[in-house]
Amino acid sequence: MSLIVIVLLALSMLGFTPSHAGDCEWDVSLCKTKHVSTGMCSLETRGMEVQDLGPMEKQENMGFPYYLKVDLLCSFKESSGRVMLENSMTGLTPKAAITFQEPTHPTHFKPQRLEVELSVASVSDNATCGSEKCEFSWYAPMPFVNGSVVQRVKVKSIEMGSQHLPEKSFALNVNGYMVTTEKEETEASFGTEIRAVEGVLRVDNPSRPLWAVVDHAPVLLLPGIPGVKAVLMTATEFQHTSVIEVNIKSSSGSRKCLQMESSMIQETVSTESSLFVRHNQELYQFLGNYSLLPLRVPPSDAWEQVLTSVCVSGLVPVSLPHHGREYFYVLGGGLQSGTLYRAEVYDGDVKFTELLNSFGFTVCEFMTLLNNHPSCHVRSAAQNAQTNVSDIILVELLFHQDQERSYILLTLGAPPSTDAPLPLELSGERVGPPLGVPPVTFGAPPDEQMSVAAPEGEPDLSGEDDGALSSTGRKDVSSTHSQCSSLTEVGGAMLYDSDFNEVEILPEFIIYSQRQRHQERSSQKLKFNGMTFNPSTGILYIWGNSLLCSWEEGQGFWHDSGFPGEQMIKYFTLSYDGTFVFVTEQEELWWGQERTESVFRLRPSQGWNEFSHLQALSGDHSTLTVFYDGDKELQEVLYTVDLDGKGSIVKRKIPVFDILSFSHLPVLSACPFDQEYRVPHVGSFNRLQRYSVAPQLVMSYSELHTTHSLDVYQGLVYHLLQLHAQYIMVIGDPKESPISRICSGVLYEDFCSYLSYNNVSGVNTDSKGHSDITPRLPDRVYLDRGASFSFSLFIRAHKLTLESFGESAVNDIRMFATVPDSKYLKVTVTEKGMVEGQVFPGERLLPFSVMFRTGISPRQCLQQTDHGMVLLGLQSLPVYIGCPPGNRLVFDARTTLQESVRLNRRNFSCLNPDPVTPCFYYKNLFFPFFLIQDVVLGESRKFIGSYTFKVVGGGPYLRKNIRLYSPEEVLRYNSLKYRSKKARIWDVKSCEKGRTSCSVTEEGFLILNATRINGIRWLCQPKSPCGDVLSMNPVGSPRFYFIIEVSNRDTETYCSHIFRFELIVYDLPMSTSRKCYIFLELLAAGQMIIGNLEPLGLDRHGSKPGE
């Protein structure tokens, strides 16, 4: 504190008066590297454009064409530069944490979660400035990694400054739809930008949904601008937005399409690599220019119409990818009404599958023929990707002209298993209150103070039910379990997917119970517009003039109370973090929590009026859309027109819990308890790999960086990520990590020496973590077979009195009972090992969601914090079952070499050793050892499972002679079933006598156990590729490169590890035939020499007879 006082006094002497950093907030912008030195950064507001990054530009920029500029935006008139200088001198130095979203289909590298925390460098804006008050800006390298096009930047300050700024998060994604002109200006590749937004947008336009693949779509499109074929485009989650007029040449229409023509873009869907727009009844695709993604098709030059033979009446998004693929549905219209197509996007290539039965009937044709329905309409579709992909179809039926609508659910795919238990188990253990804490009266009985809602449990409807469901007119639909399937047109052939296996009639009425004065009951006819499925919770939401929820794909429903039946839901949005919102046709905004029974209106409400008053916008404004950002915060995008008629597009955060505290919860606005979580070793479970990098120190008087020192910082980060990318080597070391290799070699010797001389703060990892006390659980948890995740919950109760609630809250106080004022609860989530099969790390994970509820009803427990009002008592934990990302199996070369010397009892050394590939002596037994490396934590452990060992390639003398063997050759060289071929390369010594003691696969490959000493003996039989190798050097021994493939066979894990590595075997012996041949050659040569000596009168010893 004394240091801060001294600095503030120094600032006063320099003419500064203390300002208030609390009135400011963080802001970031992208700057191209060549513009940093000018002080006028060339801002890129549409996202990063790195799709055409060539080798020369990579060399020039050391890999990154952008810098990140960190600013302070202040509400007062003083310049932000002055505030930056003041707070920098008092210790407020920001850091930028950049998180890279793993791609939908990771092919460049294995799936990974990566975060790089960069300390900013203060760079002078004026190169000639030499005073103490030089203006400066904060810069940091803006890295990118191969395969990732979605990035988030979180700016936070060190806790040393006189003022503290809350952290702020930004989306800075790669925009593959921008091109650079000859004038070095950027423009959209799929249309023309409209600068004057007030010419196309109107304040009275209705809001529309934002459809995209959550957390994977780098560019978002918002349609629905009347009178023009234009969309809103953003790569920064509407921090910066452009209005783009789409260059689509629509056809003149067709007689089979019966919809009115319109110039408006009706619907859009954004995926990781492509954009899809619906104009009238035509669907168009535009593939972005993303060199960072493994695209199978070239990028688009113009919009391309897809499904040209189909009248498209609507699109239905699928928000989450599955098994490396993205999906959405297409509804047929016009004369093709009742048809349904599933779109599948894989590495930029799109395939459409029409859902038909085995006789070629559509869903509606099938239902009409089966039940004689004169009218049928496919309302919506959803995808259940919890295990295998299955389709859920919402069909609207009309039995007679004068009857009301009824609805039916069809599911296509594997039937839901309602009896099978889920592979998660929850247990709780009370550790007890800390010593010295006296008990106090509070809450429910001790055994009920904490309840854990597991996925397999029914929703907790602790309050009185406001609604009941009733189904009338239900027909016998058992005959509809017929062979219906989907087909895909591939080269003229029809490929069937699976059968319809479930049909459910939805409730037709909802019966309300009026619990006020007269206990009256009323009913309401249900009407539905769409549905949404959450695969992590297994909840299906069907929405219209009511909101129905089902845990079993339509096998049983419950109704979310609180929503009036006279309104119709227009669109519904999940946060995939436990909450959801929906907007009605009257533009009302409603909010709810998953697995709870009520929804609440945010707008209009008293809380919304308070919120609008605090964040008053000048002029008129209207909502364009609402969505959840990458941090799962609810955001609102608005169009505003100021008093001068200037239009702009702005984004603001909706403080949900602050609004609820005003509108719905005036009694219990304060929580009667506090809670904290103690989570040990977070990095072990959330699998987020972290690097922390700081720039080198500078020796100038001002301590400001120059553009040259900033380039050094750029190079440090570039080399770090380059080494991170190279950390997929299959030959590992127990003590090895990417950081330990950064200066262990000739390649980086000069660079590391320079960094050392300049006192670089350095690079360190921070992934393992310790037992952290946090207000929330991790954002996700990965569990392998039989693994457990445990945490402790500390609950501290408040003393509640009647005065704290008021006279009107007596009925609410009765919910509480006596418990100690502090309590520790230990909760364990255990994977029960019930899933079959093995997968590669991070792939084909099964999502689940575990909900933890503490104390009273979760909506009645709000607490004020520095970040606003937060909700306590209800926590959702996403759990992914499978092989966690960041694990790999590698060859432990060091241990193998050491053990080979010890077990063979003789030393050996390689002539002309290879710096990368280890070498071994042919006559020695080969004892391989392997490691399981955790690249997230930087740890390694000995592999003790079973595995197969196969030689899949090789070549003599040099690495360039290596070739991969065909599957038939791999069998001949490795399988016991092909021993008669005399082509085997190796064998295990312990299996030579008793083959029955050694396990083998169906193909005849030996299964080795890593817990045993496996002495592999090199055979190199005559018909093997290494059976007859001669030395190229008379004084050297022959050598052979082998490509070894190892695959684990143990069942103790869900991980399937398959990797290949090289090794050299030298001093290979000659084959028996060649030895015989050489012996005969030598023998013949000896006979010839003897025969030549006899004519000279010499005996065999070279002497004449008689001498």
Side-chain angles (χ1 to χ4, degrees):
M1 181 62 68
S2 59
L3 176 61
I4 296 178
V5 173
I6 294 174
V7 173
L8 290 176
L9 291 175
L11 288 172
S12 301
M13 296 176 62
L14 292 174
F16 285 97
T17 58
S19 60
H20 301 284
D23 298 331
C24 306
E25 65 176 0
W26 297 114
D27 188 39
V28 298
S29 55
L30 287 172
C31 305
K32 289 195 172 182
T33 53
K34 59 184 178 182
H35 295 292
V36 174
S37 59
T38 64
M40 300 297 292
C41 186
S42 177
L43 300 181
E44 301 294 331
T45 60
R46 301 181 183 91
M48 291 187 292
E49 179 194 351
V50 299
Q51 61 268 21
D52 292 325
L53 194 62
M56 294 302 296
E57 190 175 2
K58 281 187 179 181
Q59 182 68 24
E60 179 183 352
N61 298 318
M62 287 175 288
F64 307 139
Y66 293 98
Y67 281 104
L68 183 68
K69 187 173 186 288
V70 181
D71 291 313
L72 282 175
L73 298 181
C74 305
S75 59
F76 43 88
K77 296 182 179 180
E78 297 179 68
S79 64
S80 60
R82 176 177 176 179
V83 180
M84 289 170 58
L85 179 59
E86 171 189 332
N87 288 278
S88 178
M89 297 182 68
T90 56
L92 189 140
T93 304
K95 287 187 175 184
I98 304 172
T99 304
F100 302 92
Q101 175 65 44
E102 58 185 357
T104 300
H105 179 212
T107 57
H108 289 292
F109 307 106
K110 296 180 180 180
Q112 60 180 349
R113 301 186 70 202
L114 178 64
E115 180 182 281
V116 179
E117 186 180 74
L118 302 174
S119 299
V120 299
S122 302
V123 181
S124 174
D125 290 335
N126 188 350
T128 61
C129 178
S131 66
E132 295 85 352
K133 297 193 294 182
C134 289
E135 293 187 358
F136 66 93
S137 299
W138 283 319
Y139 290 96
M142 186 60 200
F144 57 85
V145 296
N146 210 1
S148 179
V149 294
V150 175
Q151 301 178 189
R152 295 199 70 83
V153 178
K154 182 175 293 185
V155 181
K156 51 188 178 181
S157 59
I158 301 176
E159 302 290 339
M160 290 177 56
S162 58
Q163 304 288 340
H164 173 67
L165 290 180
E167 62 184 28
K168 190 175 179 180
S169 180
F170 305 87
L172 293 178
N173 301 329
V174 178
N175 193 336
Y177 307 96
M178 304 301 299
V179 294
T180 302
T181 63
E182 296 179 354
K183 298 180 180 180
E184 295 188 356
E185 297 178 352
T186 57
E187 60 183 25
S189 58
F190 62 82
T192 305
E193 183 175 2
I194 301 175
R195 301 288 182 178
V197 296
E198 59 271 9
V200 294
L201 295 179
R202 299 290 183 269
V203 173
D204 56 349
N205 290 343
S207 67
R208 46 269 194 195
L210 181 68
W211 290 343
V213 180
V214 174
D215 296 333
H216 288 274
V219 175
L220 305 178
L221 294 187
L222 186 64
I225 302 177
V228 62
K229 291 186 292 186
V231 294
L232 303 184
M233 181 191 72
T234 179
T236 59
E237 291 183 345
F238 295 97
Q239 194 74 22
H240 303 283
T241 310
S242 302
V243 180
I244 307 297
E245 185 175 7
V246 179
N247 295 333
I248 290 179
K249 296 181 181 180
S250 300
S251 60
S252 57
S254 174
R255 293 181 181 179
K256 62 182 179 181
C257 299
L258 306 179
Q259 187 178 1
M260 296 290 293
E261 296 289 334
S262 172
S263 58
M264 180 178 67
I265 300 295
Q266 285 86 6
E267 294 171 325
T268 62
V269 172
S270 301
T271 67
E272 186 179 51
S273 60
S274 301
L275 302 175
F276 295 88
V277 302
R278 181 177 72 89
H279 181 235
N280 294 325
Q281 289 193 322
E282 297 174 344
L283 181 62
Y284 294 88
Q285 178 197 14
F286 197 97
L287 178 62
N289 189 358
Y290 287 106
S291 60
L292 297 178
L293 295 177
L295 300 182
R296 305 170 65 183
V297 291
S300 301
D301 296 326
W303 289 96
E304 178 185 1
Q305 185 179 358
V306 293
L307 279 181
T308 56
S309 61
V310 177
C311 296
V312 179
S313 64
L315 304 179
V316 181
V318 177
S319 299
L320 298 179
H322 181 66
H323 289 183
R325 289 164 170 81
E326 301 160 298
Y327 298 89
F328 64 92
Y329 292 95
V330 180
L331 305 178
L335 298 179
Q336 298 169 328
S337 178
T339 60
L340 179 63
Y341 299 82
R342 182 177 62 224
E344 176 184 307
V345 183
Y346 181 69
D347 289 346
D349 193 12
V350 60
K351 179 181 67 176
F352 294 91
T353 301
E354 184 177 9
L355 304 184
L356 302 175
N357 71 352
S358 57
F359 299 100
F361 292 143
T362 65
V363 173
C364 279
E365 289 173 343
F366 173 74
M367 295 303 301
T368 302
L369 293 174
L370 185 66
N371 295 310
N372 195 24
H373 298 139
S375 178
C376 171
H377 182 65
V378 178
R379 272 294 178 185
S380 185
Q383 185 183 88
N384 181 1
Q386 286 184 303
T387 53
N388 296 320
V389 174
S390 62
D391 307 290
I392 311 172
I393 308 170
L394 176 63
V395 182
E396 182 184 72
L397 301 175
L398 186 64
F399 289 92
H400 301 287
Q401 291 286 340
D402 56 347
Q403 275 192 339
E404 296 291 337
R405 301 174 179 87
S406 62
Y407 298 89
I408 189 170
L409 281 182
L410 306 178
T411 61
L412 177 62
S417 178
T418 59
D419 299 327
L422 293 181
L424 283 180
E425 184 178 44
L426 293 163
S427 62
E429 175 187 352
R430 288 182 175 84
V431 183
L435 297 177
V437 179
V440 65
T441 301
F442 165 72
D447 293 339
E448 299 177 4
Q449 182 56 46
M450 171 125 187
S451 62
V452 181
E456 61 266 34
E458 291 295 326
D460 184 7
L461 303 180
S462 55
E464 296 185 10
D465 195 4
D466 291 332
L469 299 178
S470 173
S471 177
T472 61
R474 186 182 181 98
K475 295 182 178 291
D476 182 12
V477 294
S478 59
S479 60
T480 61
H481 292 265
S482 64
Q483 294 184 356
C484 300
S485 58
S486 64
L487 59 86
T488 305
E489 185 172 351
V490 181
M494 298 299 179
L495 306 178
Y496 293 92
D497 285 349
S498 56
D499 295 334
F500 287 116
N501 50 62
E502 191 67 42
V503 179
E504 286 292 328
I505 298 291
L506 266 65
E508 296 184 12
F509 293 93
I510 180 169
I511 301 175
Y512 288 95
S513 175
Q514 307 291 338
R515 291 190 179 91
Q516 297 178 357
R517 297 182 179 179
H518 302 292
Q519 298 293 327
E520 297 178 355
R521 297 172 66 88
S522 62
S523 63
Q524 172 191 327
K525 186 71 175 179
L526 296 179
K527 183 179 180 180
F528 299 111
N529 270 349
M531 61 182 179
T532 305
F533 182 77
N534 187 347
S536 61
T537 60
I539 302 178
L540 176 67
Y541 298 91
I542 307 175
W543 40 270
N545 62 351
S546 182
L547 180 62
L548 299 185
C549 308
S550 173
W551 286 70
E552 301 171 354
E553 298 184 14
Q555 300 180 6
F557 301 91
W558 83 89
H559 169 251
D560 275 347
S561 61
F563 179 65
E566 63 271 10
Q567 294 201 44
M568 182 68 68
I569 298 175
K570 182 167 58 173
Y571 58 90
F572 182 97
T573 302
L574 279 170
S575 69
Y576 296 97
D577 191 37
T579 62
F580 59 85
V581 294
F582 56 85
V583 177
T584 68
E585 297 287 353
Q586 288 76 24
E587 298 298 332
E588 290 189 0
L589 178 62
W590 291 72
W591 174 89
Q593 281 186 296
E594 296 195 82
R595 299 175 182 167
T596 58
E597 69 278 7
S598 297
V599 293
F600 297 92
R601 183 169 57 190
L602 298 179
R603 181 186 64 199
S605 66
Q606 178 185 355
W608 187 270
N609 295 335
E610 296 290 338
F611 165 63
S612 300
H613 177 73
L614 294 175
Q615 294 192 1
L617 299 174
S618 60
D620 298 331
H621 63 275
S622 63
T623 301
L624 296 177
T625 190
V626 293
F627 71 101
Y628 284 98
D629 63 11
D631 293 327
K632 310 307 178 185
E633 299 283 355
L634 185 60
Q635 303 286 345
E636 180 185 25
V637 183
L638 304 104
Y639 172 63
T640 65
V641 179
D642 59 18
L643 299 179
D644 297 329
K646 179 69 174 178
S648 60
I649 300 171
V650 298
K651 180 184 71 171
R652 65 177 179 180
K653 175 184 174 182
I654 299 179
V656 174
F657 303 130
D658 295 86
I659 295 174
L660 291 178
S661 65
F662 276 96
S663 303
H664 301 281
L665 311 172
V667 176
L668 295 179
S669 58
C671 266
F673 62 90
D674 294 327
Q675 67 180 31
E676 291 178 328
Y677 296 96
R678 184 183 296 273
V679 183
H681 306 302
V682 178
S684 302
F685 296 98
N686 68 0
R687 311 305 296 161
L688 179 62
Q689 187 171 3
R690 290 187 177 94
Y691 295 117
S692 179
V693 191
Q696 70 277 13
L697 301 179
V698 292
M699 305 306 295
S700 62
Y701 179 75
S702 63
E703 297 186 354
L704 295 178
H705 284 262
T706 64
T707 56
H708 298 293
S709 61
L710 190 62
D711 288 341
V712 175
Y713 190 19
Q714 168 87 282
L716 173 64
V717 179
Y718 172 69
H719 287 302
L720 167 67
L721 292 182
Q722 188 178 51
L723 289 170
H724 170 81
Q726 293 174 356
Y727 194 49
I728 58 174
M729 295 178 63
V730 294
I731 299 179
D733 189 283
K735 300 179 180 180
E736 190 179 60
S737 69
I739 306 305
S740 66
R741 298 207 327 270
I742 191 170
C743 294
S744 61
V746 180
L747 181 61
Y748 300 105
E749 182 177 358
D750 296 336
F751 180 74
C752 293
S753 298
Y754 176 82
L755 296 181
S756 177
Y757 293 153
N758 285 272
N759 193 20
V760 174
S761 298
V763 182
N764 60 79
T765 58
D766 184 21
S767 297
K768 186 173 182 179
H770 302 283
S771 297
D772 299 327
I773 298 178
T774 61
R776 294 181 60 86
L777 292 172
D779 62 335
R780 66 187 68 179
V781 166
Y782 296 90
L783 293 181
D784 199 353
R785 181 186 293 273
S788 298
F789 169 70
S790 299
F791 63 90
S792 299
L793 174 61
F794 175 61
I795 302 176
R796 182 174 58 253
H798 299 167
K799 291 183 179 181
L800 301 180
T801 62
L802 183 61
E803 290 76 12
S804 64
F805 288 96
E807 294 291 340
S808 61
V810 176
N811 292 332
D812 296 296
I813 298 177
R814 68 185 179 186
M815 294 186 298
F816 304 104
T818 302
V819 297
D821 74 332
S822 298
K823 184 171 289 292
Y824 275 110
L825 301 175
K826 185 176 181 181
V827 181
T828 301
V829 181
T830 303
E831 201 283 328
K832 296 189 292 186
M834 301 178 60
V835 182
E836 296 181 357
Q838 292 180 324
V839 293
F840 295 120
E843 296 185 8
R844 297 180 178 268
L845 298 167
L846 299 181
F848 291 89
S849 181
V850 182
M851 181 170 289
F852 305 93
R853 177 174 297 179
T854 307
I856 60 176
S857 178
R859 296 171 309 282
Q860 297 177 338
C861 187
L862 299 172
Q863 187 178 52
Q864 184 67 40
T865 66
D866 295 337
H867 301 285
M869 196 73 70
V870 296
L871 190 69
L872 293 184
L874 190 64
Q875 177 76 56
S876 179
L877 176 66
V879 178
Y880 293 87
I881 292 178
C883 182
N887 289 306
R888 63 176 190 166
L889 181 64
V890 298
F891 176 53
D892 187 357
R894 174 180 296 185
T895 303
T896 301
L897 290 169
Q898 293 175 350
E899 291 299 306
S900 294
V901 173
R902 184 180 68 85
L903 296 173
N904 287 290
R905 297 182 180 179
R906 56 179 168 184
N907 294 320
F908 61 92
S909 60
C910 298
L911 297 176
N912 301 320
D914 191 295
V916 177
T917 307
C919 63
F920 299 89
Y921 187 42
Y922 176 86
K923 295 181 179 179
N924 284 352
L925 293 179
F926 176 61
F927 299 95
F929 289 85
F930 304 97
L931 296 171
I932 292 292
Q933 285 195 333
D934 190 329
V935 298
V936 175
L937 304 181
E939 297 177 345
S940 299
R941 67 180 187 274
K942 182 181 178 181
F943 173 68
I944 57 175
S946 58
Y947 63 95
T948 58
F949 182 96
K950 293 181 288 186
V951 178
V952 297
Y957 313 127
L958 301 174
R959 181 175 283 106
K960 66 179 182 179
N961 297 329
I962 296 176
R963 71 173 183 88
L964 294 178
Y965 302 144
S966 65
E968 294 78 10
E969 290 176 318
V970 172
L971 287 172
R972 289 201 306 268
Y973 302 156
N974 299 271
S975 175
L976 295 179
K977 292 184 177 181
Y978 289 81
R979 285 177 290 181
S980 61
K981 300 293 184 179
K982 300 298 181 181
R984 298 193 64 217
I985 296 177
W986 62 277
D987 198 355
V988 178
K989 185 178 181 180
S990 59
C991 297
E992 291 178 359
K993 297 180 180 180
R995 296 290 183 183
T996 58
S997 62
C998 297
S999 301
V1000 296
T1001 66
E1002 295 181 357
E1003 297 87 358
F1005 299 124
L1006 282 171
I1007 299 178
L1008 307 181
N1009 194 324
T1011 59
R1012 302 175 183 174
I1013 301 299
N1014 299 302
I1016 292 179
R1017 183 169 63 95
W1018 301 109
L1019 298 177
C1020 289
Q1021 291 182 342
K1023 295 184 179 180
S1024 67
C1026 60
D1028 188 17
V1029 180
L1030 296 179
S1031 177
M1032 298 179 63
N1033 186 351
V1035 297
S1037 60
R1039 55 195 291 171
F1040 200 94
Y1041 284 82
F1042 287 113
I1043 305 295
I1044 308 298
E1045 181 180 281
V1046 174
S1047 175
N1048 70 312
R1049 306 285 298 185
D1050 51 321
T1051 59
E1052 303 298 325
T1053 177
Y1054 289 133
C1055 294
S1056 175
H1057 298 291
I1058 300 177
F1059 77 101
R1060 296 177 177 180
F1061 64 96
E1062 294 180 12
L1063 58 84
I1064 302 173
V1065 176
Y1066 74 99
D1067 201 14
L1068 275 71
M1070 288 183 289
S1071 65
T1072 305
S1073 59
R1074 186 173 294 275
K1075 289 180 180 179
C1076 294
Y1077 176 77
I1078 294 177
F1079 175 75
L1080 293 176
E1081 286 286 336
L1082 293 175
L1083 183 61
Q1087 292 293 335
M1088 291 178 61
I1089 294 175
I1090 294 174
N1092 292 331
L1093 292 177
E1094 290 179 354
L1096 297 176
L1098 300 177
D1099 58 13
R1100 297 182 180 181
H1101 301 283
S1103 302
K1104 291 183 179 182
E1107 292 183 358

